[in-house]
Amino acid sequence: MGVHRNFILLLTVTLTFVTCNVSNSKIEDACNLSAELKAEIASYSSTVEKIINAAVDGSFKGVTYQELSLFVDTFGNRIAGSQNLENAIDYMIDKYTADGFDNVHGEEVQVPHWVRGSESAILVEPRNATLSILGLGTSVGTPPEGILAEVLVVKSFDDLQSKAGQAKGKIVVYNEDFDSYFSAVVYRSNGATEAAKVGAVASLIRSMTDFSLNTPHTGLQSYEENVTKIPGAAITIEDAHLLQRLQDEGKTIKMLLKMEAQNLPDTTSRNLVAEIEGTEYPEKVVIVSGHIDSWDVGEGAMDDGGGVFISWGALALLKSLGLKAKRTVRSIFWTAEEFGYVGAYQYAIDHANETDNLIFMMESDFGTFNPIGLEYSAGTTGGCILQEVMKLLASINATGTRQSPAVGSDIEIWTSDGVPGASLDTESEKYFWYHHSNADTLEAESTDYLDKNTALWASVAYVLADLSIDFPRETTDG
Amino acid sequence: MGVHRNFILLLTVTLTFVTCNVSNSKIEDACNLSAELKAEIASYSSTVEKIINAAVDGSFKGVTYQELSLFVDTFGNRIAGSQNLENAIDYMIDKYTADGFDNVHGEEVQVPHWVRGSESAILVEPRNATLSILGLGTSVGTPPEGILAEVLVVKSFDDLQSKAGQAKGKIVVYNEDFDSYFSAVVYRSNGATEAAKVGAVASLIRSMTDFSLNTPHTGLQSYEENVTKIPGAAITIEDAHLLQRLQDEGKTIKMLLKMEAQNLPDTTSRNLVAEIEGTEYPEKVVIVSGHIDSWDVGEGAMDDGGGVFISWGALALLKSLGLKAKRTVRSIFWTAEEFGYVGAYQYAIDHANETDNLIFMMESDFGTFNPIGLEYSAGTTGGCILQEVMKLLASINATGTRQSPAVGSDIEIWTSDGVPGASLDTESEKYFWYHHSNADTLEAESTDYLDKNTALWASVAYVLADLSIDFPRETTDG
């Protein structure tokens, strides 16, 4: 779809951080929406209030949390390649089908099948200590007896280059700064490869988070062709700092790293599609989405159970209120997002000739905390329309809009090619506390926030799917 | 010392929460300190400023953190009975001796020797999941093959009684509320015994904390005589809630619990004493203290590395400034606090005839966060004196005093018998995030806060040791 996959692999969620400095007021100044269109949008206020009331204080109150809870309690985490993921997809297909949604089906995708196995990192010098680690997705394992080697701590790739002469035969530990996920995640993606290039035997990164209670965080890494594949794992902030201090104190550091990680043959998974068909233009589609796979730790309740269940909730809430829009509202649960938008890429290929009918694409993959509004990728007129639409969310204080060159994670495949779209914008300051860790459980979710997010998701999807005009597809001009 | 040991065992740190509603202003109204005494205390302001300046902006700036860092990096955690603890004590004896302190020595104590071994809890029904656990101190282990049993979740001891008929042969999980450590810790202390009484085969408690990132917290438990000893461990908040939900959903829950925990014969440890001898009344003593043992997880940097090192720092700072008080300032590093003030009890026995010379006892065992002031156990006049003394700490905003019927942990043995004392009062809202967990590392500490706490500790100890009058020993009348 015009965006190089490796580039996308690197970016995943991160691009949501790179927002343009286009203030709302500046956009508003540039807005030349017709009085008729503004009035038309405003006329949805009673419908949106009905949606909001049902979600936050009525028949749908608490339902999103309750269903998410039942789902994660039943299946736990759901890594690509696992039977657990397929069971979870079957469950959701059955659920959508039983509730009478339109066009409910799975669409097959070949996905990676990486298994962690058991893993450990024991500090053996200068003193004995067990470090908490999580191997990184796609990492190879160690030999069964493990890798016993000296440790070299570096602060950056530049620092690694300056110490390249010392790296041979060592376990390189990246104690990189976490100024942002975007700036740090290259160490997770490429750390093992860069370490291997200078002769290291394994690579450990400091986990991608700004706060830890001895919490390691996994995530995707990749290998470069023709470079030796060495094991890659994440250690905690605490241990990265410890190793840095020990090195700074001049101590010799030795570690025994054992990882059973294996890359098995690809397996078949499915993207899951369900719809409320449009009454007038069923071929035209507004999409609400999240990804149903997770990492193999915690419960995948935040990443991305929340995104999946507000997308389910948006459809279920609209249906419960008898709201059918002129255009189709489609929910998609992407599969294997965590391995680089694998499901979404397949969907893009399989539906390449339907792109013109993708009116607006929404994805929630940055947490379902207290909602602020939307982060969007659209042109000026589109931004103006969204501003008007979001005014309808005033009663839940989620009227914000901010333009971004890249939104969502899976939907970035389309938005980067000019399809308008948006990701959910929430008070996500603690997102990385939980992200890709065993702490990603239902505790990261709140019933009230989920209700508000379901209301927002349903409202925006309904209004954009029902407007008299198609959402304008313009070049992003922010 | 007049307080029943089992009572103390239960209370440990917790009593710091039970503070009296005696506002500062109320005490101030009741203050009838002589103008001379108030003037005398105020006359220490230049000395205290010198202490503070050295600690927060001078020659001692950063030293407490640096020394604590070196200590925990070198030894890691230090459970009673371990060689690690004895090595750490030797290191500190050497350090005090090399720096020329007075009367540096260890005093032998027989301490419990509990070893954790490996441990695991696997949820096998209704789905497979590995739970993070920490066995509780003094717990027995399971048979080598583990205990495979159904789970019964209860909210309280009352709830357990109401479900007593269902408990036989089961693993009881206490999903107790954590309104406070004080109200919750009885489940850690007595959970296994109470569960055994109704026929349970093991006992799991929800960890003693208000926030978790999949973080289990260990701590002391005890067995009642003539009740079957069953294994006791802590699970995370997340998993306690998960098990509660699964039970509420009507699911059968089965778990395989394996613990290698063993109680070995007592070993010899030491309380560590070092002093700056008083110039006029060397037999009269003001004590600054913390405990040098920790649990066998994390690094014991907060509990109680911080307390130990501000006590070391107080002496080192006074010495570096050439400040010798009229009375002796003694630092004590208690051993085996975590097993019920074992070192402190031995000290009380060994020094029973010196109690009258214990002028004022200080202990820091509730974190060394940003200091607020002191929590004290003393009579009205004592409280009034402390208020005047703490005014000297205005430049670091740590002038607070609050009366409590029970302060400290080890020193409670004496303060409950009328010896005046105080514990450090800090912004400890996050104390239980780290407490007794693998997250108790140097990350919980701050170099600036340690500097301020060392300054406070040194200032109060010096002034109280140097005043023209002995700190008054009155019945606590709050």
Side-chain angles (χ1 to χ4, degrees):
Chain A
M1 292 293 295
V3 178
H4 189 271
R5 177 164 165 176
N6 280 344
F7 181 66
I8 289 284
L9 275 176
L10 268 184
L11 300 180
T12 59
V13 186
T14 64
L15 280 169
T16 53
F17 283 90
V18 189
T19 55
C20 290
N21 285 323
V22 179
S23 70
N24 284 352
S25 59
K26 186 173 160 198
I27 293 176
E28 193 141 42
D29 294 341
C31 283
N32 287 310
L33 298 187
S34 69
E36 289 78 6
L37 182 55
K38 290 173 79 165
E40 189 198 338
I41 295 172
S43 76
Y44 283 95
S45 74
S46 64
T47 304
V48 167
E49 271 311 303
K50 198 158 69 167
I51 292 171
I52 292 173
N53 288 338
V56 305
D57 205 26
S59 58
F60 216 77
K61 180 176 167 62
V63 172
T64 306
Y65 183 91
Q66 185 186 319
E67 292 292 338
L68 171 61
S69 168
L70 187 61
F71 178 78
V72 298
D73 287 351
T74 302
F75 298 104
N77 56 58
R78 309 163 301 278
I79 194 173
S82 68
Q83 187 57 46
N84 230 20
L85 172 59
E86 299 315 303
N87 293 346
I89 293 169
D90 285 338
Y91 171 92
M92 291 306 297
I93 288 178
D94 290 349
K95 184 173 185 64
Y96 269 126
T97 304
D99 291 344
F101 285 94
D102 304 319
N103 194 23
V104 180
H105 67 281
E107 301 191 1
E108 292 195 348
V109 189
Q110 292 303 105
V111 300
H113 188 193
W114 176 79
V115 290
R116 177 178 305 281
S118 74
E119 54 192 14
S120 64
I122 311 286
L123 187 66
V124 293
E125 266 185 50
R127 65 173 165 88
N128 196 271
T130 301
L131 311 189
S132 291
I133 66 163
L134 280 176
L136 299 178
T138 76
S139 176
V140 296
T142 64
E145 70 277 15
I147 292 173
L148 176 66
E150 273 190 39
V151 165
L152 173 69
V153 185
V154 299
K155 285 294 297 172
S156 64
F157 289 135
D158 285 346
D159 192 22
L160 177 67
Q161 287 312 313
S162 76
K163 292 176 174 140
Q166 305 166 53
K168 196 171 161 57
K170 291 198 180 147
I171 296 172
V172 164
V173 170
Y174 294 95
N175 178 26
E176 78 285 342
D177 290 330
F178 188 79
D179 295 328
S180 73
Y181 185 73
F182 182 68
S183 63
V185 76
V186 290
Y187 292 94
R188 191 186 74 202
S189 304
N190 304 340
T193 289
E194 294 307 315
K197 285 179 183 171
V198 292
V201 292
S203 164
L204 300 175
I205 60 156
R206 190 172 92 189
S207 285
M208 300 287 116
T209 182
D210 55 334
F211 180 73
S212 172
L213 292 175
N214 191 49
T215 326
H217 296 249
T218 188
L220 189 63
Q221 64 144 37
S222 60
Y223 291 117
E224 208 173 288
E225 274 181 46
N226 304 319
V227 177
T228 307
K229 293 179 178 181
I230 63 172
I235 60 175
T236 64
I237 291 178
E238 292 93 326
D239 287 332
H241 288 170
L242 168 67
L243 296 172
Q244 180 78 63
R245 289 194 306 269
L246 291 172
Q247 177 168 295
D248 293 347
E249 288 161 13
K251 306 226 168 93
T252 297
I253 311 168
K254 256 192 201 164
M255 196 183 290
L256 175 62
L257 179 69
K258 288 187 184 180
M259 293 169 60
E260 292 181 350
Q262 285 184 76
N263 290 287
L264 302 179
D266 286 1
T267 63
T268 303
S269 183
R270 290 157 291 167
N271 292 314
L272 192 167
V273 176
E275 299 179 347
I276 297 176
E277 236 177 38
T279 54
E280 291 189 24
Y281 316 107
E283 75 287 1
K284 295 185 177 181
V285 182
V286 170
I287 288 171
V288 288
S289 71
H291 65 86
I292 192 165
D293 68 304
S294 73
W295 282 102
D296 58 335
V297 291
E299 294 177 327
M302 181 195 77
D303 186 12
D304 186 26
V308 159
F309 270 82
I310 66 165
S311 298
W312 168 83
L315 258 67
L317 176 52
L318 292 176
K319 192 173 178 71
S320 76
L321 295 172
L323 289 168
K324 285 190 147 200
K326 296 186 186 74
R327 297 174 194 74
T328 293
V329 177
R330 177 181 299 166
S331 89
I332 303 182
F333 297 170
W334 312 103
T335 194
E337 187 274 346
E338 297 294 5
F339 281 84
Y341 313 158
V342 179
Y345 274 102
Q346 188 63 51
Y347 191 92
I349 291 166
D350 295 345
H351 299 268
N353 61 354
E354 300 157 34
T355 305
D356 288 349
N357 284 326
L358 296 177
I359 300 302
F360 198 80
M361 298 183 79
M362 293 154 71
E363 182 167 17
S364 166
D365 187 22
F366 199 58
T368 42
F369 302 96
N370 200 20
I372 297 167
L374 290 179
E375 188 179 9
Y376 70 89
S377 174
T380 305
T381 307
C384 293
I385 290 173
L386 287 176
Q387 271 192 64
E388 295 301 315
V389 171
M390 296 310 284
K391 286 179 183 169
L392 302 170
L393 280 300
S395 68
I396 57 167
N397 292 314
T399 59
T401 57
R402 53 183 179 127
Q403 193 177 37
S404 166
V407 294
S409 43
D410 301 276
I411 63 169
E412 175 64 15
I413 296 170
W414 289 271
T415 58
S416 64
D417 255 14
V419 176
S423 60
L424 184 65
D425 202 7
T426 71
E427 292 173 353
S428 54
E429 295 77 11
K430 294 183 182 168
Y431 182 72
F432 290 107
W433 294 23
Y434 305 101
H435 182 245
H436 296 185
S437 83
N438 277 306
D440 181 358
T441 71
L442 207 54
E443 303 297 312
E445 298 296 319
S446 140
T447 184
D448 288 348
Y449 295 166
L450 283 169
D451 284 341
K452 290 207 266 181
N453 284 314
T454 293
L456 184 159
W457 223 224
S459 298
V460 174
Y462 178 77
V463 172
L464 296 184
D466 200 59
L467 276 181
S468 62
I469 58 159
D470 287 350
F471 194 92
R473 187 174 294 198
E474 318 148 273
T475 307
T476 300
D477 49 12
Chain B
M1 292 296 293
V3 178
H4 189 270
R5 175 162 167 179
N6 280 343
F7 180 64
I8 288 286
L9 274 175
L10 267 183
L11 299 182
T12 59
V13 186
T14 64
L15 280 170
T16 52
F17 283 91
V18 189
T19 54
C20 291
N21 285 322
V22 180
S23 71
N24 283 354
S25 58
K26 188 176 158 199
I27 294 177
E28 194 139 40
D29 293 342
C31 283
N32 288 309
L33 297 186
S34 69
E36 289 78 6
L37 182 54
K38 288 172 81 165
E40 188 198 339
I41 295 172
S43 76
Y44 284 96
S45 74
S46 65
T47 303
V48 168
E49 271 310 303
K50 199 158 67 168
I51 292 171
I52 292 173
N53 288 340
V56 305
D57 205 25
S59 57
F60 215 76
K61 180 177 167 61
V63 172
T64 308
Y65 183 91
Q66 187 186 317
E67 293 292 338
L68 171 61
S69 168
L70 188 61
F71 178 78
V72 297
D73 287 352
T74 303
F75 299 104
N77 56 58
R78 311 164 298 282
I79 193 172
S82 69
Q83 187 57 45
N84 230 22
L85 172 59
E86 298 315 304
N87 293 344
I89 293 168
D90 285 338
Y91 170 93
M92 291 306 297
I93 288 177
D94 291 348
K95 185 173 186 64
Y96 269 126
T97 305
D99 290 345
F101 285 93
D102 304 320
N103 194 24
V104 180
H105 66 283
E107 303 191 1
E108 292 195 350
V109 190
Q110 293 303 105
V111 300
H113 189 194
W114 177 79
V115 292
R116 178 179 302 283
S118 74
E119 53 192 15
S120 64
I122 311 286
L123 186 66
V124 293
E125 269 186 47
R127 64 173 167 88
N128 197 271
T130 301
L131 310 189
S132 292
I133 66 164
L134 280 176
L136 299 178
T138 77
S139 175
V140 298
T142 65
E145 69 277 14
I147 291 173
L148 177 65
E150 273 189 38
V151 166
L152 173 69
V153 185
V154 299
K155 287 292 298 172
S156 65
F157 289 135
D158 285 346
D159 192 21
L160 176 67
Q161 287 313 312
S162 76
K163 291 175 175 143
Q166 307 165 52
K168 196 172 160 55
K170 291 198 181 148
I171 296 171
V172 164
V173 170
Y174 294 96
N175 178 28
E176 78 284 342
D177 290 331
F178 187 80
D179 295 328
S180 74
Y181 185 72
F182 181 68
S183 64
V185 76
V186 290
Y187 292 94
R188 192 187 73 203
S189 305
N190 304 341
T193 289
E194 295 305 316
K197 286 179 183 171
V198 293
V201 292
S203 164
L204 300 175
I205 60 156
R206 191 171 90 188
S207 286
M208 300 287 116
T209 181
D210 55 333
F211 180 73
S212 171
L213 291 175
N214 191 47
T215 327
H217 296 249
T218 187
L220 188 63
Q221 65 145 36
S222 60
Y223 291 116
E224 208 172 290
E225 276 180 44
N226 303 319
V227 177
T228 307
K229 294 180 176 179
I230 62 172
I235 60 175
T236 64
I237 292 178
E238 291 94 326
D239 287 332
H241 287 170
L242 168 66
L243 296 172
Q244 181 78 64
R245 290 193 306 269
L246 291 173
Q247 176 168 294
D248 293 347
E249 290 162 10
K251 305 223 168 97
T252 297
I253 310 169
K254 256 190 202 164
M255 197 184 290
L256 175 62
L257 179 70
K258 288 187 184 178
M259 291 169 61
E260 290 181 350
Q262 286 184 77
N263 291 287
L264 302 178
D266 286 0
T267 63
T268 304
S269 183
R270 290 157 291 169
N271 293 315
L272 192 167
V273 177
E275 298 179 349
I276 297 176
E277 237 177 37
T279 53
E280 292 190 24
Y281 316 107
E283 75 286 1
K284 296 186 177 181
V285 182
V286 169
I287 288 171
V288 288
S289 69
H291 64 87
I292 192 165
D293 68 304
S294 72
W295 282 102
D296 59 335
V297 292
E299 293 176 329
M302 179 194 79
D303 186 12
D304 187 24
V308 159
F309 270 84
I310 67 164
S311 298
W312 168 84
L315 257 68
L317 176 53
L318 291 176
K319 192 173 179 69
S320 76
L321 295 172
L323 289 167
K324 284 190 150 203
K326 297 187 184 73
R327 298 174 192 76
T328 294
V329 178
R330 177 180 299 165
S331 90
I332 304 182
F333 298 170
W334 313 104
T335 194
E337 186 273 349
E338 297 293 6
F339 281 85
Y341 313 158
V342 179
Y345 273 103
Q346 188 62 50
Y347 191 94
I349 292 165
D350 294 346
H351 299 267
N353 61 354
E354 300 157 35
T355 305
D356 288 349
N357 285 325
L358 296 177
I359 301 301
F360 198 80
M361 299 184 78
M362 294 155 67
E363 180 167 18
S364 166
D365 187 22
F366 199 58
T368 42
F369 303 95
N370 200 21
I372 298 167
L374 290 181
E375 187 178 9
Y376 70 91
S377 174
T380 304
T381 309
C384 292
I385 289 174
L386 286 176
Q387 270 191 64
E388 294 302 315
V389 172
M390 295 311 284
K391 285 178 184 170
L392 302 170
L393 280 301
S395 70
I396 56 167
N397 292 313
T399 58
T401 56
R402 53 183 179 127
Q403 194 178 35
S404 166
V407 296
S409 42
D410 300 277
I411 63 169
E412 174 64 15
I413 295 170
W414 290 269
T415 57
S416 64
D417 255 13
V419 177
S423 59
L424 184 65
D425 202 8
T426 71
E427 292 173 353
S428 54
E429 295 77 12
K430 293 183 182 168
Y431 181 73
F432 290 106
W433 293 24
Y434 305 101
H435 182 247
H436 295 186
S437 83
N438 276 305
D440 181 358
T441 72
L442 207 55
E443 303 296 314
E445 298 297 317
S446 140
T447 184
D448 289 346
Y449 295 166
L450 283 168
D451 285 342
K452 291 206 265 180
N453 285 315
T454 293
L456 184 159
W457 224 224
S459 299
V460 174
Y462 179 75
V463 173
L464 296 185
D466 201 59
L467 277 182
S468 61
I469 59 158
D470 287 351
F471 194 92
R473 187 174 297 197
E474 319 146 272
T475 308
T476 301
D477 49 13

